[in-house]
Amino acid sequence: MKLDPETDLSFTRTLKAPRSVLWDCWTTPEHIRNFFVPRPHKVTACEIDLRVGGKFNTTFEVEGKAMENTGVFLEIIDGKRLVFTDGYSEGWKPAADPFMTAIVEFEDDGAGGTTYTAIARHRSPEARKSHEDMGFFDGWGTVATQLEDYARTLG
């Protein structure tokens, strides 16, 4: 995939957990609650309908405030790739102010682990910069560490 440095942010790390376990973590609401936002923030609700056009809704608690995020899956390649966006909610209802489209990829590393890539695509260079300034790399890095730690308790 060709990335656009003006609008895309990308993060890759090798995680010491099998791809199948990481996939289950990303596609099961009960698992999402254990890694999806950097602690001490938390996921308080998650709904997943794992199909193109299916919902991917989460509610976070950040500093005592609830933040609801609605979205849909745009592409699903079983065990390998998830693409979701907040640009639409279930039923293809357009969002008033979308933030990003996320692409999460999983590839076996040949040693029992997984090469994990998260890409955030934004509608403008300004939105990309805002996300980077907000802490994209630290935030997604923390989430990757939490995902790896949690996945290792499952596999």
Side-chain angles (χ1 to χ4, degrees):
M1 170 185 320
K2 184 174 164 89
L3 297 179
D4 181 344
E6 293 291 316
T7 55
D8 298 340
L9 294 167
S10 179
F11 170 88
T12 299
R13 182 186 292 172
T14 299
L15 304 182
K16 294 178 179 153
R19 180 170 51 99
S20 62
V21 175
L22 297 176
W23 179 263
D24 288 345
C25 288
W26 263 96
T27 58
T28 308
E30 296 77 27
H31 293 319
I32 287 280
R33 295 173 184 256
N34 291 284
F35 74 89
F36 193 58
V37 294
R39 291 181 192 99
H41 311 307
K42 59 186 173 182
V43 176
T44 58
C46 179
E47 297 176 290
I48 292 175
D49 180 4
L50 193 61
R51 62 181 176 83
V52 172
K55 65 184 160 191
F56 182 40
N57 298 340
T58 54
T59 303
F60 307 146
E61 183 182 298
V62 177
E63 298 172 0
K65 296 179 184 140
M67 295 176 54
E68 292 188 18
N69 299 282
T70 59
V72 296
F73 290 102
L74 300 174
E75 180 181 19
I76 299 166
I77 301 174
D78 192 41
K80 295 182 179 180
R81 177 185 248 207
L82 290 170
V83 180
F84 54 94
T85 187
D86 66 349
Y88 295 93
S89 58
E90 193 173 28
W92 301 111
K93 182 175 168 81
D97 189 23
F99 183 59
M100 70 171 186
T101 296
I103 303 164
V104 181
E105 298 179 324
F106 310 85
E107 184 179 322
D108 292 329
D109 74 352
T114 305
T115 301
Y116 171 80
T117 301
I119 299 164
R121 294 200 137 161
H122 303 85
R123 66 186 183 281
S124 69
E126 296 77 22
R128 177 212 176 273
K129 173 116 175 60
S130 172
H131 195 184
E132 184 174 14
D133 292 347
M134 193 186 305
F136 170 81
F137 293 103
D138 287 342
W140 282 78
T142 298
V143 166
T145 298
Q146 291 174 178
L147 171 60
E148 179 180 49
D149 291 347
Y150 177 69
R152 292 181 74 178
T153 71
L154 302 174

